[in-house]
Amino acid sequence: MGKWGLFILSIGCLLVLFSANARTGEYDILSLITALFLIILSIFLIRKEKKNNKNNEA
């Protein structure tokens, strides 16, 4: 899960970069919302994996 979380995080960050239009200075709202959703999902997955690893060590 931790690897998938990092993978989804990288996809979300790339979407944030590509959602901006450099010429007009505007953002594509749909791409930006999708990117934010992926970033939030990946943070959830990474925190869940850390919690599971911490419980398994103890």
Side-chain angles (χ1 to χ4, degrees):
M1 281 284 184
K3 292 178 185 177
W4 286 108
L6 291 175
F7 177 70
I8 294 172
L9 181 66
S10 65
I11 299 258
C13 289
L14 285 173
L15 273 174
V16 167
L17 288 174
F18 290 128
S19 68
N21 188 349
R23 291 185 183 152
T24 61
E26 295 178 356
Y27 284 96
D28 179 20
I29 298 298
L30 183 60
S31 295
L32 193 60
I33 290 172
T34 304
L36 292 175
F37 173 75
L38 289 176
I39 289 170
I40 291 169
L41 177 68
S42 64
I43 289 171
F44 174 75
L45 288 174
I46 291 169
R47 291 187 74 179
K48 184 178 176 185
E49 181 66 23
K50 274 188 169 184
K51 185 178 178 183
N52 285 342
N53 285 342
K54 193 177 233 183
N55 287 339
N56 288 339
E57 289 177 0

